[in-house]
Structures are given as C-alpha cells and as structure tokens.
Amino acid sequence: MKSKERMQIPFTDMPTQPPQVRARNFREVPYGYSEEMAIQEANRCLNCKKPKCVDGCPVRVPIPEFIALVQEGKFLEAAWKIKERNVLPAVCGRVCPQESQCEGLCVRGKKGRSVGIGNLERFVADYERLTGQVPEPERVRKNGKKVAIVGSGPSGLTTAGDLIQQGYEVTVYEAFHLGGGVLVYGIPEFRLPKSVVQYEIQNLENAGVKFVYDSVIGRIRGIDELFTEDGYDAVYIGVGAGLPVFMNIPGENLQGVYSANEYLTRSNLMKAYLYPKYNTPLLTGKNVVVVGGGNVAMDSARTALRLDADNVHIVYRRSREQMPARLEEIHHAEEEGVQFKLLSNPVEIMGDEKGRIESIRCQRYQLGEPDKSGRARPVPIDGDYFVLNTDLIIIAIGNKANPLITMTTPDLEVNKWGNIVTDEMGRTSKPHVYAGGDIVTGAATVISAMGAGRRAATAIHEDLFPQVEETPESFGVPKGSLELKHAAIYPNTVYLKLNIINISDKDLDQVKIRVSHVHEFFETTMLEKTVPRWSPGEEHELDCPRIDKNEKEYLLTINDLHGKIMSKIIVANDVKK
Amino acid sequence: MSKFNILKKEEFVPNFYKLDIKVPGIAKKAKAGQFILVMVDEHSEKIPLTLLDWDEEKGTISFIVQELGLSTSKMAFMEEGDCFYSIVGPLGEPAYLDNFGTVVLGGGCYGVGAVYPIAKKLKELGNIVITIIEAKNENLLYYEEEYKTVSDEVILVTTDGSKGERGHIYDILDNMIEVQKREIDHIKVIGCNVMMSKVSKLTKEKGGIPTYATVTTIMVDGTGMCGSCRLSYDGKTKFACVDGPEFDAHKIDWEELIHVRNTSYITEETLGLQNFSPECRSLAKFLERTKEEETS
Ligand SMILES: Cc1cc2nc3c(=O)[nH]c(=O)nc-3n(C[C@H](O)[C@H](O)[C@H](O)COP(=O)(O)OP(=O)(O)OC[C@H]3O[C@@H](n4cnc5c(N)ncnc54)[C@H](O)[C@@H]3O)c2cc1C
Ligand SMILES: Cc1cc2nc3c(=O)[nH]c(=O)nc-3n(C[C@H](O)[C@H](O)[C@H](O)COP(=O)(O)OP(=O)(O)OC[C@H]3O[C@@H](n4cnc5c(N)ncnc54)[C@H](O)[C@@H]3O)c2cc1C
Ligand code: SF4
Ligand code: FES
C-alpha cells in the first residue's frame, strides 16, 4: 500500500457503550476493535523511517514494527513485539495518556488524527489474552540471588517481571490482599477491568514470582530485616504515592467528605459498588462535588454517576486545557453528564447540626501570569463566590508520598516532599535498596512507573553481577572523524551502550550508524540511527537494548552521506562472560 | 487457603470471643497497643482489632471480638479450623510506655481485653498498675483473673452495680482523685469513644493528668492511604492508623470524632446486619450439618 492510500484512510473510532447506558453500569466503556477495524487502523501508519511516535514513548515500544505486524494480521506476533519493551500492554493501551506521548508526536497528527496507537496496543494485548496463546514462560537458570519487591503496582510488577527472567528469586510484598496497586484500588472497573490486571499477575506467578499479600513493609518487617533476616540481596521499593492531600478548609472532616483514595478504594478494591453483596459501605450522593482535574477526579466523578448520583460537578481551579486528566477521560466524563465548574476552588464546607454536609462554597478564579511550570496561574477573584448544594464531596487534589517506609527506615534519603531520592537508575542512598514509580516522582503515570521499574531491574542486575564495563579493543572506530568514546556492554541485561564523538573539525552530514549481529551468512540489524548533522565535538549515545542473548559477535557499521563504509569492526571478544 | 486458621475460640461472656490464630510474622513483631485489620471472607469489610496477646515461639496471636455488627457477627459464627480471608498487621504505633510511676488503666467494651498487653508491659517496666474494667453488668465482665497477675490493683465497675463498684470508669477516677487524693502519674483508656472522652474531660479539669486514649475510628487500609480514620488533633488532621491509635486524649477533638466521623454508616451498618441474619442462620445450619456428616 502506498503512503498516499494510507493517508486516505479515516481514523477508526473504537465503539463504546452509549453514554446514557454506561453511565449507569460498571462495565468497560469501549468494546475494543474487531480484527478488521484493527487492520484498517494499522493501515493508516506510514511506517516512518524515523518514527516520531517511539520518541514519545517512555519505554520506547517499537511502534511501527508492531503496527506493521497488525497490518499483516499477525496479532500475536504484534503483542509479543510490544512485550519486548512493555510487559503490561493491555493496561497501557487503556490508561496511558497517548495524546501527550506516542500519539502526540505521530506525524499523522500534524494533519488530522494520529494513528490510534493506544487502541491498537489494547487490541493486540487483548487478542493475546483472549485467545490464551501466551508463550510458555522461559525457564531460566536460577542465578542464586534473591530480590524483594515492596508494592505490587505497575512499577513493582515490571521490576519483578524483568528480574525473574534473569534468574532471580523474586518475592513481591503487598500491603493489600490483592495485587496491582492503583490498577486495582484506584482505577475503576469501567476503565480497566480487574480481570486484565489479575491475568498479568497470574502470568508473573506462572513465571515464578512469589506474591506475599497482607504484608505492610515497615510494620511486619523493616527494610533492614529483609536483608538481615530474610537474606535478600536487593530490595526494590515501589510503594506509590499513597497519602491523600486534603484542602485544609473548614468542614473537611464532616460526614460525606471523602478523599478520592478512600472513595475509590472502597468502591474498587473492597467492591462497595456491589454492596450489599460485598459488605463495605459507601455513602452515595444525589448531588456530588468532586474537587480536582486529573484522572483521579474523573474516575471519582464517573463512579459517583454510576452509583446513582443525579448531578456530579467537578470543581477545578484552572481552565479546561490545563486539566491533567487523559483527554479521553474528560471526553467520556462529559458525554456521561459530568458538569464542570472550572476556574473555581472550594473555600468552605457547610454542614447541618448532625455533622452531615449540606453545601460547599467556592471562589471563582481567573487566569493570570504563567507560573514556573509555564501554565497560566489561576488567581482568585475577590469577593466572587458561589455555593453548590451537595451531599457528597470527593477530594481528588493529589497524593503525596506515604511516609510509612521512610519513617521506619531513617537512613533512606528523602527530599522535602518525602519522596525517596534516587539516581536515574533508581539507586537510593542505601546500598542495594532501589526505588521507583510514584514514591520517587510523586503521582505520575503507569508507564513512567513501569519505566522506573525496568531501569531499577537493570541497576540491580548490574550491581549484583558487576561487569567490568569493557571497551574492547576491537570495538573501536578508526581514528579520523569519529571516535568511540565509550562502549559498555551489560551481557546479562542484554544491553549495549555506545558513545560516539565527532573529533574532526567539520560538520558531518547524514551519518548512519547501525549495530547488528553477525550470523554465519547474514546479519540482523539491532539498531539504526541517522544523525542528520553532526557538529564537531558533539557526542551521540546509542542505546541498543535487548541484544540477542546467544550472540557472540556484534557489528558496528557507520556510513556517511554517500553510503561509504567508514568502519566495519567485528567484536569477537567474549563479551558474554 | 489454609492461612489464618482459627486454632482456638472461646466465648468468655455473651458476645465476647477470644480467638487464637497462627500468624508467625505478626506474632514476631507485635507490640502492646498495636492492632490488626481483619477480613472474614472475600466479601467482608476490613475491621480493626487490637492485639491482645501473642506468642513469638508458637507464632500465634490472640484478639477479642465484641459482637456488634456484620463483620463481628460473622466472626462469632466462625469455628475452630475456619480461616480468615485476610489479616494485616501489626499496624499502628505501639502504645507510649515508660516507667511513669503510678498508672491507671481503664478498659470498657472491647477495651476490657485490649488494655491487657499494655498492663503487662507497664508492670514489667516497674510501674504501679491500677486497672479498672467496666461493663454493663457482672455477666459481661471478663479477664479479671488475668489482670490480677499484671496489676497491683484491679477495680471492677458495673453500670448496674451487680459486681464491684457501681457506675463508670470516670466515676472511679473522680473518686480516686477527689476523695482518695491519690497520686496518679499516667492514665490510659481504651473502649468506646464516649467513655474515653468523658475520662479526658475529667482529667483535663483535674489538673491535666497525662491521659492517653486509643481512639476507635473507621478504617479501610490501615496504612495511611485513605484518610478514613482521620481526626482533628491539636488543630491538625491526624490518621489514627499510622499516627495512633493512641493519642494524648486532651488534644483530641472528641466532639467531632464522636458525633461526626464515626456515625457515617449507621444506616448501612443496620442494613448490613439485617441482611446477614438469614445468612447467619444458614451458615450455622451448614456448619452443624457438615459436623454431623463428619461424625457419622
Ligand atoms: C484513580 C487514579 C487514576 C489514575 N489514572 C491513570 C491513568 O489513566 N493513566 C496513567 O498513566 N496513570 C494513572 N494514574 C496514576 C498511576 O496509577 C500511578 O502513577 C501508578 O500506578 C504508580 O505506580 P507505582 O507502582 O509507583 O505505585 P502504585 O500503583 O501506587 O502501587 C503501590 C503499591 O504498593 C503498596 N504498598 C504501599 N505501601 C506499602 C508497604 N509499606 N508495604 C507493602 N506494600 C505497600 C500499595 O498497596 C500498592 O499496591 C491514576 C492514579 C489514580 C489514583
Ligand atoms: C484501633 C482499633 C482497635 C479496635 N480493637 C477492637 C478489639 O480488639 N475488639 C473489638 O471487638 N473491637 C475493636 N475495635 C472496634 C471494631 O473495629 C468495631 O467494633 C468493628 O469494626 C465493627 O464492625 P462490624 O462490621 O461488626 O460492625 P458494623 O456494622 O460496622 O458496626 C456496628 C456498630 O459499631 C460501630 N463501629 C463500626 N466501626 C467501628 C470502629 N472502627 N470503631 C468503633 N465502632 C465502630 C458502628 O458505628 C455501629 O454502631 C477496634 C477499633 C479500632 C479503631
Ligand atoms: S509516527 Fe505515526 S505514522 Fe509514523 S510510525 Fe509512528 S505511528 Fe506510524
Ligand atoms: S485507615 Fe486509611 S488512612 Fe487510616
């Protein structure tokens, strides 16, 4: 198919339950693509030589490659392709903010709709799950080391998945009776079916990861005890940002005021939405006010609708464009009938003599000068107030770091907000203790928590099986215009990193670099990168992830504008160790 | 699932049960004043219960349940050999313990049992321990003998005067302070919030004898994640599950705690129990039947 033809294909919307219907049930909102729809949408992808989308993805999923497989109808292979980089595609396809990541950078988005990368990711992951054709987990030789993971959110699960594949004995400690972190206690069923999360955890269990529930680390065991008493060699902390922020306004402790965490935990984890079959009660309201503008606020508002509210208002301090929620969620919330009171902020909650809330008073705001983040700062308008009658208020203005672990581990360095301080690979101030996800970054996204989990897994492995970072003689680039400054190989994490610098005094145009495996008769490209203009002194780093475990030889090829081979060196050393 | 097995169940007095369960991890780490969160089955609420006793060697823990609402009624129907779905702990900060001098402990409702580990520890620390336990009538008083082993003095008090003194814990305290003019260095109370608030009011008025109360708030996760257990303390918001459950009683906003925060689910709780009753009966029948089958 020609690019021109691809450009003609219109975006394939994912069919959803009609808003009026779904606003009264807890079933998932979109139905998903059919095979035909998936192929049609995949055909819109231009398979760009320099795929912008990949740059937008925090874990660099090989997007055009997996979409090409969808085009051919190879859905399983497409799912496996994604899984090379992302272990929870069924989750990410549903909850990633694609509009500010991959889809935000897709070239097709410049004119019209970008390719529905999230929809396709979701489709192939569901296809794999629903057809049950999961490849047998690789049986890996145990390497004799034990790692404890604290917290079973997306970051902990990713670390666990990466480490089990490298032969570690991995145990996940979770405070709740179910695994998944925010994926089970925060994000509601209608957005992420719990069976999806359960399935991923089951896969990890099948691969050998041990889950120990009902265990609050810091209480039943300290971090130090995990080393001294249980004999772990490393500990990863992925406990999330579970400390609800309140507004500190009068009336906040009245009956009928929930933190979003409590509201959603009761509803999702404790299944209060199925009350009384499940025994945990949840106050319902006819006139519900949700404070905040993120995903948490949207989830709370839409849950309230499904629990029979007549009116649900979202009160948010900034403007609509500034809402941090995923675009799709705002859109869905609106379709379902959630009303927005933007540029407003609560100042007081009023109650009756029995301590039940009756109304909330808010102040109107307007946009002023940009603040540090570049967003126009909301400023209160003097004397401009309004009152909403309400019988249920849900506060969703953010989460801070839960101090339970850091309180009980005084030698763990934290910043002034209580977040654990780490280097970019997740190493904390305590030897062999790593951290990542929301506990480090503050409330962020599923995919960034997963990225952090993956980096920490790499760091744990590098630290427990230290490899001399080799710069093999034969892995050089001839003196001349380019020089190999640094080559690091991490055989066990199958990761290769090269730093190349332009040591000449002239600009180089269109330099193409390729890293490949050399087989007996052919070679496979692992990484290709073109540097359009390479100025003197400039350094480029090449990350070549997932080099083949069984390979002994690597080939580095550097071409210039005219296709002339400048260097072709075989690494014959035993880099595998 | 074979974990959280009930090894032993005793009904001390009507509606009060003591359960022994094997949970080695908790038995190893438990400290006086800490609690656990329990789910009876997959459908249950998580409810907080104070650790009464624990044996590190045997790996067992014990707690006392007062049958009140749905979850505690389900527990009342459990038998030795039955399993809990989930038990998390030990949670909360341990009680504030020291060699204070003369300490008065007051326990009502479930607190009649729950002050026991604290009494034991305070005695070990060299305090003179006076324990006051309160119940509606003599049939509801328990643990008297156990307290004798860990207290210098045990005072019983019943609302109807059927055993011990007549009245309430604060009447006894008032008498000790006003009439007997006894030196008291430290007071701890556990029980219903109303009783504790009255003791707090009394000791605040009588010169502010240091008084600590274990608040009972509604909880969900027990890790500081939800804010369900929040209370106003010294002008600030605190979470009972991580900052407490024991607090300086004089700084607690009792009014808010009793009348606002803890009555949130009255309707649902009543409904829950009504819904349970038939099930309750069938559960009992079921258990009877399985027993018969086993024996036959
Ligand atoms: C309602 C809601 C909606 C969201 N929607 C989106 C969305 O649409 N898209 C998106 O990308 N992001 C979304 N997010 C954010 C995203 O979920 C988080 O950024 C992500 O889950 C963080 O992952 P994590 O692994 O760091 O922590 P978490 O997912 O928070 O998991 C931490 C786990 O650790 C456990 N734990 C905590 N303390 C202890 C302890 N002491 N011992 C043992 N276990 C412990 C917790 O119980 C929990 O299971 C949403 C968040 C919420 C709350
Ligand atoms: C830190 C702490 C330690 C506790 N230790 C014990 C203990 O060792 N033994 C024991 O029997 N009970 C203890 N409780 C109280 C116990 O948690 C409640 O009795 C229980 O949650 C009631 O659950 P239910 O489903 O049976 O009743 P529900 O139907 O939920 O409630 C029945 C009645 O109990 C009240 N109630 C509900 N939850 C609580 C609560 N958390 N605190 C006080 N009253 C409540 C309701 O308002 C209602 O009147 C403790 C509570 C806390 C906070
Ligand atoms: S940028 Fe868009 S069109 Fe290009 S490869 Fe990525 S998804 Fe396809
Ligand atoms: S019970 Fe959730 S914060 Fe205390």
Side-chain angles (χ1 to χ4, degrees):
Chain A
M1 204 186 285
K2 293 234 170 59
S3 291
K4 245 218 179 111
E5 286 171 62
R6 297 190 185 281
M7 292 295 288
Q8 306 281 310
I9 308 171
F11 180 80
T12 312
D13 277 308
M14 194 174 264
T16 58
Q17 286 191 58
Q20 304 78 359
V21 176
R22 68 180 192 236
R24 298 288 171 212
N25 69 50
F26 274 85
R27 288 192 300 275
E28 193 175 8
V29 170
Y31 293 120
Y33 278 158
S34 63
E35 295 183 15
E36 294 71 33
M37 287 171 163
I39 294 177
Q40 167 150 330
E41 183 57 26
N43 279 335
R44 296 182 65 234
C45 172
L46 307 176
N47 263 299
C48 306
K49 282 279 153 321
K50 280 195 343 192
K52 282 274 175 227
C53 51
V54 178
D55 291 338
C57 175
V59 298
R60 299 190 71 83
V61 165
I63 294 166
E65 283 94 329
F66 101 76
I67 295 184
L69 289 163
V70 178
Q71 289 170 351
E72 297 171 36
K74 295 184 178 160
F75 305 133
L76 280 176
E77 288 83 348
W80 299 338
K81 182 53 98 191
I82 302 178
K83 282 196 163 171
E84 286 176 9
R85 301 288 302 162
N86 180 340
V87 286
L88 304 173
V91 172
C92 288
R94 287 172 166 85
V95 305
C96 271
Q98 285 94 2
E99 69 273 10
S100 55
Q101 298 180 359
C102 51
E103 293 179 18
L105 293 185
C106 168
V107 289
R108 294 225 39 186
K110 286 194 189 133
K111 256 202 260 148
R113 293 283 294 268
S114 44
V115 175
I117 302 170
N119 287 355
L120 289 170
E121 182 178 28
R122 178 192 146 140
F123 168 78
V124 296
D126 285 357
Y127 186 89
E128 187 203 24
R129 184 177 72 256
L130 297 173
T131 57
Q133 305 189 53
V134 195
E136 272 287 296
E138 254 184 80
R139 287 278 154 233
V140 216
R141 270 244 322 272
K142 288 282 164 226
N143 66 16
K145 300 272 183 196
K146 284 169 63 174
V147 181
I149 314 255
V150 187
S152 65
S155 82
L157 294 181
T158 307
T159 316
D162 278 10
L163 291 176
I164 200 81
Q165 279 180 9
Q166 291 170 44
Y168 288 86
E169 202 178 297
V170 183
T171 308
V172 178
Y173 290 93
E174 168 57 48
F176 281 131
H177 52 285
L178 292 174
V182 169
L183 308 181
V184 292
Y185 78 69
I187 304 181
E189 180 76 18
F190 56 82
R191 203 145 77 73
L192 177 63
K194 299 309 148 228
S195 55
V196 173
V197 183
Q198 202 42 53
Y199 171 84
E200 297 299 351
I201 289 176
Q202 190 57 53
N203 279 343
L204 286 173
E205 276 184 359
N206 294 347
V209 177
K210 245 200 307 190
F211 285 83
V212 181
Y213 296 108
D214 298 315
S215 300
V216 180
I217 301 302
R219 294 281 191 216
I220 196 158
R221 255 173 183 50
I223 297 289
D224 286 324
E225 286 160 323
L226 288 170
F227 291 100
T228 55
E229 289 183 22
D230 301 315
Y232 287 103
D233 299 290
V235 174
Y236 177 72
I237 304 175
V239 293
L243 181 76
V245 176
F246 286 95
M247 297 181 291
N248 291 321
I249 60 171
E252 215 169 6
N253 289 347
L254 290 174
Q255 257 176 60
V257 185
Y258 278 119
S259 75
N261 281 5
E262 182 181 354
Y263 187 71
L264 292 171
T265 303
R266 281 176 179 272
S267 176
N268 300 326
L269 181 78
M270 304 307 292
K271 301 225 177 358
Y273 75 92
L274 298 174
Y275 183 86
K277 184 174 178 226
Y278 284 77
N279 309 148
T280 300
L282 184 64
L283 296 176
T284 51
K286 285 291 159 203
N287 294 297
V288 179
V289 171
V290 178
V291 186
N295 287 319
V296 189
M298 299 304 143
D299 285 345
S300 306
R302 295 171 71 200
T303 300
L305 267 186
R306 283 159 175 76
L307 293 172
D308 290 334
D310 294 332
N311 289 298
V312 178
H313 281 103
I314 282 194
V315 174
Y316 180 55
R317 209 157 57 99
R318 299 176 184 254
S319 70
R320 175 185 217 86
E321 294 66 42
Q322 295 173 320
M323 282 205 215
R326 289 177 85 216
L327 219 53
E328 191 186 6
E329 306 317 324
I330 301 176
H331 181 64
H332 280 161
E334 196 153 54
E335 279 183 347
E336 289 165 12
V338 173
Q339 301 161 58
F340 293 87
K341 291 269 179 214
L342 301 165
L343 288 163
S344 327
N345 202 29
V347 287
E348 188 184 359
I349 298 168
M350 281 88 67
D352 61 16
E353 69 287 348
K354 286 198 186 130
R356 283 221 35 109
I357 55 165
E358 282 186 329
S359 59
I360 184 167
R361 202 152 73 99
C362 307
Q363 185 166 23
R364 287 204 176 78
Y365 276 55
Q366 61 191 9
L367 288 181
E369 294 297 304
D371 61 12
K372 268 193 235 116
S373 68
R375 297 194 292 182
R377 186 200 305 272
V379 272
I381 307 174
D382 263 351
D384 192 354
Y385 296 96
F386 64 93
V387 171
L388 290 172
N389 287 333
T390 175
D391 46 5
L392 187 69
I393 297 174
I394 302 161
I395 304 170
I397 57 170
N399 275 305
K400 285 191 298 199
N402 188 311
L404 196 59
I405 292 240
T406 47
M407 237 165 46
T408 48
T409 321
D411 51 344
L412 199 59
E413 190 188 337
V414 294
N415 67 16
K416 65 176 168 184
W417 299 282
N419 296 110
I420 299 178
V421 176
T422 69
D423 70 4
E424 71 273 17
M425 295 301 284
R427 296 181 180 92
T428 68
S429 58
K430 227 171 133 62
H432 296 300
V433 177
Y434 305 77
D438 283 2
I439 185 64
V440 170
T441 54
T445 57
V446 170
I447 192 71
S448 61
M450 289 175 62
R454 161 146 296 168
R455 285 193 298 280
T458 308
I460 288 171
H461 193 65
E462 279 173 24
D463 295 351
L464 289 182
F465 292 91
Q467 296 289 335
V468 193
E469 291 197 356
E470 347 187 11
T471 317
E473 277 304 301
S474 56
F475 210 149
V477 177
K479 296 270 177 288
S481 39
L482 292 176
E483 193 175 86
L484 188 66
K485 199 177 148 202
H486 187 69
I489 299 166
Y490 308 99
N492 289 300
T493 40
V494 286
Y495 186 83
L496 168 71
K497 199 165 98 181
L498 304 172
N499 289 59
I500 302 175
I501 189 164
N502 180 358
I503 49 162
S504 73
D505 53 5
K506 53 179 192 295
D507 280 329
L508 303 173
D509 286 336
Q510 296 289 336
V511 182
K512 196 169 176 188
I513 303 171
R514 199 154 67 99
V515 180
S516 48
H517 288 315
V518 194
H519 305 257
E520 223 164 321
F521 302 111
F522 58 96
E523 46 177 281
T524 356
T525 304
M526 296 307 300
L527 174 95
E528 221 170 28
K529 179 172 177 161
T530 307
V531 182
R533 199 179 182 77
W534 201 329
S535 30
E538 194 183 346
E539 185 178 320
H540 278 273
E541 186 177 285
L542 302 178
D543 276 341
C544 185
R546 295 225 157 220
I547 47 184
D548 191 326
K549 278 185 189 166
N550 307 313
E551 256 343 296
K552 294 264 184 241
E553 295 178 342
Y554 302 94
L555 185 71
L556 175 68
T557 324
I558 301 178
N559 294 22
D560 75 355
L561 182 59
H562 309 289
K564 197 178 73 185
I565 294 175
M566 293 167 66
S567 163
K568 180 171 180 166
I569 296 120
I570 291 173
V571 190
N573 306 31
D574 184 14
V575 291
K576 304 294 304 168
K577 284 259 159 75
Chain B
M1 227 178 19
S2 63
K3 52 180 198 171
F4 311 133
N5 223 308
I6 300 179
L7 302 175
K8 194 165 164 214
K9 179 184 169 197
E10 276 175 87
E11 184 171 7
F12 281 155
V13 291
N15 295 335
F16 282 85
Y17 303 85
K18 178 173 169 241
L19 300 179
D20 295 353
I21 298 179
K22 189 155 189 145
V23 199
I26 299 180
K28 191 166 172 186
K29 295 291 280 196
K31 296 236 165 58
Q34 289 187 303
F35 65 94
I36 51 179
L37 277 179
V38 180
M39 273 171 96
V40 175
D41 54 52
E42 199 190 333
H43 294 174
S44 295
E45 253 188 285
K46 276 180 185 261
I47 66 161
L49 297 169
T50 306
L51 285 161
L52 171 77
D53 213 346
W54 48 92
D55 185 326
E56 192 183 332
E57 255 156 49
K58 291 194 195 129
T60 57
I61 60 168
S62 317
F63 52 83
I64 280 182
V65 192
Q66 177 181 15
E67 189 180 344
L68 268 181
L70 181 53
S71 292
T72 49
S73 301
K74 280 185 177 177
M75 286 185 202
F77 270 92
M78 293 176 88
E79 303 277 331
E80 287 172 13
D82 287 351
C83 290
F84 283 94
Y85 176 72
S86 156
I87 295 184
V88 187
L91 297 170
E93 286 294 306
Y96 168 38
L97 299 173
D98 206 340
N99 188 346
F100 299 110
T102 301
V103 183
V104 177
L105 298 176
C109 315
Y110 79 84
V112 173
V115 289
Y116 174 76
I118 293 176
K120 195 163 137 186
K121 203 72 208 160
L122 284 171
K123 188 78 198 131
E124 274 171 34
L125 286 167
N127 291 282
I128 295 172
V129 179
I130 304 166
T131 306
I132 313 172
I133 48 179
E134 169 183 335
K136 276 215 177 67
N137 58 52
E138 65 175 323
N139 298 327
L140 294 175
L141 271 180
Y142 59 95
Y143 245 53
E144 186 189 338
E145 289 310 313
E146 282 82 352
Y147 277 113
K148 284 188 182 151
T149 63
V150 293
S151 322
D152 296 86
E153 195 178 337
V154 181
I155 303 171
L156 308 178
V157 45
T158 49
T159 318
D160 65 358
S162 50
K163 189 162 186 189
E165 310 276 328
R166 184 198 194 96
H168 296 283
I169 290 175
Y170 45 84
D171 299 323
I172 307 289
L173 264 171
D174 195 13
N175 186 275
M176 284 170 82
I177 299 164
E178 281 299 309
V179 183
Q180 304 174 8
K181 305 267 182 234
R182 290 178 65 162
E183 281 292 324
I184 302 172
D185 300 299
H186 192 92
I187 297 172
K188 280 190 201 294
V189 277
I190 305 185
C192 72
N193 288 333
V194 176
M195 177 276 280
M196 296 191 290
S197 73
K198 287 187 174 161
V199 169
S200 170
K201 186 160 173 272
L202 174 84
T203 58
K204 201 171 184 173
E205 283 166 6
K206 306 280 149 117
I209 307 168
T211 304
Y212 283 74
T214 295
V215 295
T216 46
T217 58
I218 292 167
M219 295 189 180
V220 180
D221 61 298
T223 63
M225 193 275 283
C226 75
S228 165
C229 62
R230 67 190 188 273
L231 67 155
S232 295
Y233 176 82
D234 204 12
K236 289 190 214 60
T237 294
K238 292 275 176 193
F239 292 176
C241 70
V242 285
D243 302 316
E246 188 187 81
F247 291 96
D248 179 343
H250 297 155
K251 294 182 181 161
I252 294 170
D253 182 342
W254 288 104
E255 180 62 25
E256 181 187 277
L257 185 62
I258 293 168
H259 296 293
V260 180
R261 301 259 353 119
N262 262 23
T263 51
S264 295
Y265 302 100
I266 289 280
T267 339
E268 287 79 1
E269 279 155 355
T270 322
L271 197 103
L273 198 56
Q274 279 166 2
N275 283 344
F276 176 62
S277 304
E279 188 191 327
C280 215
R281 274 179 235 125
S282 60
L283 181 71
K285 275 207 197 102
F286 171 76
L287 290 172
E288 255 168 47
R289 210 180 51 231
T290 42
K291 268 216 186 101
E292 275 165 22
E293 276 165 11
E294 270 169 24
T295 45
S296 65

